[in-house]
Amino acid sequence: MTPQPSSPAETVVELAGITKRFTGTLANDAVDLRVRRGEIHALMGENGAGKSTLMSILYGMLRPDAGTIRVHGREVNFSDPADAIGAGLGMVHQGFRLFDSLTVAENIVFRTEPRRFGLLDRAAARRRVRELAEEHGLPVDPDARVGALPIGVRQRVEILKLLHRGARVLILDEPTAVLTPDEAGKLFAVLKSLAEQGHSVILVTHKLNEVLSVSDNVTVLRDGRVTARLRTADTTAAEIAEAMTGRRVELDRIHPPGTPGAVVLSVSGVRGVDLTVRAGEIVGIAGVAGNGQSELIEALAGLRPVTAGHIELAGRDITHESPAGRRAAGLAYVPEDRAAVGTAPAASVAENLA
């Protein structure tokens, strides 16, 4: 593997020998990571490689069993995320940490509110959000309720919240997992702009095409250990994939086309849409956000009433069936917002599976 080259740019974050054990698992094994000012540094690895654990340690959510963390050359020991924020770090988690009932402006200035006569100065808060949004190319409506916003806009709110708190190092944990390709492209344009302004970005992901298009350097983890440090411009998707998996990966394999079988799902006149899905077939529904895709899928899943049209699953009419009845009939639904709709965060894994 090609070693990460030296650079005269200032090192803003340095992790040395970070080790973290959980019961029966060595999550991080003497991991070193160095991030420089103005760079987008990709932290890669398959699921379970130790990426999120390492970033949770950096952000003060977990304490390492061994190793040191330095920010701007000073050794730090964060006891919680507030300490990390105070040192200029900010993290956007896979599950957003926003208040759905509050406005965009109220979320962004939460706990750092501008005040007038001891009360929240809403005009100043809205003005601050507009300035931040314009400065960083993250358009938002300060008065919009967060709970009504699409996923991509909520992510902008999270980033603006960190910038408002003075974050110079941004950690993004699988930021495109819930984004459309268009939303991901806009996010990457923002990250490049932030890097040009001197911010540093740690991009946690396992998507090769994203890393090659947006990052400057790559650190790869496998089974909690660093397997490669690469300069993005000098590496390839195959080299990164081999570092992630420990074996050669055939990335350009062409799969033969499938042979669709009988119709298993038939939709006619539901929200103005007709479609059929056959056994062994993948059907895509495309469109710019806000053009009814989410509403159509919710109607198919039973989360939205069907006022016109007909849905048939494996020969059975499920037009007005309950979500539980549709599940029993063989229909599964993976929602866009996995945290808010797809899981019960306060429940155990077993309870969620049940």
Side-chain angles (χ1 to χ4, degrees):
M1 298 299 175
T2 307
Q4 181 174 303
S6 59
S7 167
E10 172 194 359
T11 297
V12 294
V13 171
E14 184 176 9
L15 285 73
I18 297 297
T19 298
K20 182 65 180 179
R21 294 178 177 83
F22 298 103
T23 303
T25 302
L26 182 57
N28 292 142
D29 186 4
V31 174
D32 296 342
L33 177 68
R34 179 179 294 178
V35 180
R36 296 180 172 87
R37 181 176 59 81
E39 80 162 319
I40 299 176
H41 195 115
L43 180 62
M44 294 204 70
E46 295 185 292
N47 289 334
K51 308 184 301 295
S52 293
T53 298
L54 187 66
M55 291 300 97
S56 295
I57 289 171
L58 174 58
Y59 201 52
M61 299 171 65
L62 294 173
R63 300 297 298 272
D65 297 323
T68 59
I69 301 172
R70 288 183 173 84
V71 178
H72 297 294
R74 181 175 63 88
E75 186 171 337
V76 295
N77 292 285
F78 299 145
S79 59
D80 56 36
D83 288 345
I85 293 170
L89 278 63
M91 185 170 182
V92 178
H93 302 267
Q94 292 188 49
F96 301 148
R97 310 289 175 91
L98 299 170
F99 299 103
D100 287 351
S101 61
L102 300 183
T103 67
V104 167
E106 289 167 341
N107 269 277
I108 289 173
V109 304
F110 180 69
R111 288 186 174 174
T112 58
E113 298 93 339
R115 294 190 174 275
R116 187 181 184 190
F117 305 123
L119 302 175
L120 169 62
D121 188 339
R122 297 183 184 279
R126 289 193 292 268
R127 186 166 57 250
R128 172 59 175 157
V129 169
R130 291 192 184 98
E131 291 171 352
L132 272 176
E134 183 176 352
E135 178 183 356
H136 298 291
L138 290 162
V140 293
D141 176 1
D143 296 315
R145 295 285 171 185
V146 163
L149 297 177
I151 294 295
V153 179
R154 291 190 212 181
Q155 189 176 70
R156 291 179 210 163
V157 176
E158 284 277 27
I159 295 173
L160 287 170
K161 184 172 69 174
L162 300 179
L163 295 172
H164 171 67
R165 286 160 173 74
R168 301 296 299 175
V169 178
L170 280 76
I171 306 163
L172 284 82
D173 191 4
E174 301 286 358
T176 63
V178 294
L179 300 185
T180 65
D182 180 61
E183 288 172 331
K186 292 177 179 177
L187 171 65
F188 293 151
V190 169
L191 297 185
K192 288 180 179 179
S193 175
L194 289 170
E196 289 171 358
Q197 296 169 28
H199 292 78
S200 301
V201 178
I202 303 176
L203 180 65
V204 182
T205 184
H206 58 265
K207 298 183 179 180
L208 294 169
N209 60 323
E210 296 179 357
V211 167
L212 292 172
S213 67
V214 75
S215 73
D216 299 298
N217 293 288
V218 185
T219 295
V220 182
L221 295 182
R222 184 173 73 246
D223 297 329
R225 301 179 180 89
V226 175
T227 56
R229 294 184 179 88
L230 307 164
R231 186 171 182 267
T232 307
D234 297 333
T235 191
T236 64
E239 186 175 22
I240 297 173
E242 184 174 350
M244 290 171 60
T245 63
R247 55 184 171 79
R248 293 179 64 86
V249 179
E250 190 178 349
L251 297 174
D252 299 324
R253 182 180 178 185
I254 300 176
H255 296 272
T259 304
V263 173
V264 292
L265 178 66
S266 175
V267 180
S268 60
V270 176
R271 306 191 71 82
V273 174
D274 299 336
L275 64 86
T276 57
V277 181
R278 298 178 178 274
E281 183 178 49
I282 298 173
V283 175
I285 299 174
V288 177
N291 278 274
Q293 305 96 304
S294 297
E295 290 80 1
L296 172 63
I297 296 303
E298 288 173 359
L300 298 182
L303 302 180
R304 185 179 292 266
V306 175
T307 56
H310 179 80
I311 305 171
E312 191 173 282
L313 179 66
R316 172 181 167 184
D317 184 353
I318 63 166
T319 307
H320 302 293
E321 186 64 80
S322 67
R326 294 173 198 234
R327 284 198 300 273
L331 179 70
Y333 170 55
V334 179
E336 175 186 29
D337 191 342
R338 297 173 297 174
V341 180
T343 59
S348 68
V349 172
E351 288 167 339
N352 269 277
L353 289 174

